[in-house]
Amino acid sequence: MTYFTGQPEAEIRRRKMAAMITQLAPDNGYTQSTLDDVRFLRSDVPIQQTPVLYEPSIVIVCQGRKRGFWGEEMFLYDAQHFLVVAVPLPFVSQTEATLEEPMLAVALRLDFQALADLLMTLEIPVTRSNMPVSMASTPLDDPLGESVLRLLEALRSPEEARVLGPGLLREIYYRVLTGAQGATLRAALAQQGYFAQISQALRMLQTRYQERFEVAGLAREVGMSVAAFHAHFKAITQMSPIQYLKSTRLHHARLLMVRGGISAAAASAEVGYESPSQFSREFKRFFGRSPVQEALFMQEILQLSPAVGMAG
């Protein structure tokens, strides 16, 4: 493989990253790497605004541009930027890409046990003075960029990925924890302040979304008053607890239809809806398309074969 010389270091790194991700992720959509916590994202075509649900992760955009719309805020995460999502968050995403210059990214699912062990080693104090943000985009600096580049190089070899991958992920976690966005992860990991309490509630909603929830019960489980819970939940997620639960259910239902090939009626029951007609109404209002239309649209983007017998 030939790399480029005579250009700024960051541009050389971008081209190297793009070349390796193109090799590792030849198809549109998500491609799982040989490491469980690492996936690649590729899009050869622009994708208009569509709701997505990001799990806690670090997303490094190597080429192309993505826009995120979160509540009333809009932010960019361009090439050579990285996004840290400290808690599971739904937002609206838009991808700018072309066949000649596809959007290429790598997503690292956060291993909170590994992060907690690293935080204890660093012995960095965590204060309650400033409320960390739930999601932010930052330019990739040279140390973090070189760490990501070494991870991509290792992922081209199954043996190197197995032997070197865990250490390289730890190196990337270290760079993020000690960088501009480290405060968000440190607050969530240290289980201090309102941020950690809301994070606990989000984990319950993400893992038990099929259940019935009352706001008062959620607030009680995390040790907050209802008023404080409402206020801090909205500050962190840009939505109310009920809106968050509804968004989570709809995202999981879409995934079941797209990846699992089940019907809208089956998906609605699986995620906790008692009324298929209510599910269809809320799904169309949220995604802008009916369940079947959205499933077919996503399968086309991801270049998946339509599921046989999909209905509803």
Side-chain angles (χ1 to χ4, degrees):
M1 185 176 295
T2 302
Y3 294 135
F4 300 83
T5 59
Q7 299 190 37
E9 206 57 39
E11 175 62 12
I12 295 172
R13 184 174 63 232
R14 182 193 72 79
R15 290 174 179 254
K16 288 181 178 181
M17 286 181 176
M20 282 187 278
I21 294 180
T22 298
Q23 177 187 8
L24 291 162
D27 301 319
N28 274 346
Y30 283 103
T31 299
Q32 180 64 49
S33 80
T34 52
L35 294 178
D36 290 342
D37 290 337
V38 181
R39 293 188 300 171
F40 304 108
L41 176 60
R42 174 176 181 158
S43 177
D44 296 339
V45 296
I47 301 175
Q48 297 305 310
Q49 295 183 21
T50 184
V52 296
L53 178 65
Y54 269 21
E55 61 184 341
S57 55
I58 301 167
V59 182
I60 300 108
V61 179
C62 302
Q63 181 172 281
R65 166 178 286 188
K66 290 181 75 67
R67 298 174 187 266
F69 300 86
W70 183 44
E72 297 180 355
E73 300 181 29
M74 189 275 285
F75 58 92
L76 294 173
Y77 40 122
D78 288 344
Q80 299 301 294
H81 280 61
F82 72 100
L83 180 75
V84 171
V85 185
V87 294
L89 283 178
F91 67 103
V92 175
S93 175
Q94 177 178 314
T95 299
E96 297 181 16
T98 64
L99 188 61
E100 294 75 23
E101 189 168 318
M103 194 285 300
L104 302 169
V106 56
L108 314 178
R109 183 169 53 229
L110 293 180
D111 181 336
F112 282 101
Q113 185 58 56
L115 283 163
D117 291 345
L118 188 55
L119 185 66
M120 290 178 63
T121 302
L122 291 170
E123 298 182 350
I124 299 176
V126 179
T127 65
R128 303 180 186 220
S129 56
N130 295 314
M131 183 67 170
V133 296
S134 310
M135 179 166 53
S137 174
T138 304
L140 206 63
D141 61 21
D142 288 339
L144 180 55
E146 290 302 317
S147 297
V148 173
L149 189 59
R150 285 195 295 275
L151 175 65
L152 293 175
E153 289 172 340
L155 288 171
R156 294 190 296 172
S157 161
E159 183 177 74
E160 287 195 11
R162 178 173 55 83
V163 175
L164 303 177
L168 291 167
L169 284 175
R170 181 179 172 85
E171 181 180 330
I172 291 171
Y173 290 157
Y174 167 78
R175 299 293 182 196
V176 175
L177 276 172
T178 57
Q181 296 198 44
T184 293
L185 289 180
R186 294 198 299 270
L189 288 164
Q191 297 297 299
Q192 293 186 18
Y194 291 125
F195 189 87
Q197 289 170 294
I198 298 302
S199 296
Q200 182 184 348
L202 294 177
R203 284 193 293 272
M204 286 191 289
L205 292 173
Q206 281 293 318
T207 57
R208 295 159 45 192
Y209 56 84
Q210 304 96 330
E211 301 177 18
R212 287 172 173 257
F213 281 100
E214 293 184 358
V215 175
L218 274 172
R220 186 166 55 251
E221 285 202 53
V222 299
M224 299 175 70
S225 71
V226 173
F229 180 75
H230 258 294
H232 289 285
F233 193 102
K234 188 159 189 179
I236 289 173
T237 67
Q238 300 291 302
M239 59 182 64
S240 72
I242 299 304
Q243 288 173 322
Y244 184 93
L245 177 59
K246 182 186 298 184
S247 169
T248 299
R249 285 175 169 173
L250 294 173
H251 277 293
H252 279 283
R254 178 172 70 168
L255 185 62
L256 287 170
M257 290 186 293
V258 173
R259 294 289 187 184
I262 70 174
S263 69
S268 69
E270 184 73 20
V271 301
Y273 275 86
E274 296 181 357
S275 167
S277 59
Q278 180 189 2
F279 167 77
S280 293
R281 287 194 303 272
E282 293 186 353
F283 191 101
K284 187 170 185 177
R285 188 158 50 241
F286 188 76
F287 289 108
R289 283 179 280 266
S290 72
V292 170
Q293 290 171 335
E294 178 68 10
L296 293 173
F297 171 73
M298 293 304 297
Q299 286 165 346
E300 182 180 356
I301 289 176
L302 299 176
Q303 296 181 346
L304 299 174
S305 299
V308 177
M310 181 176 291

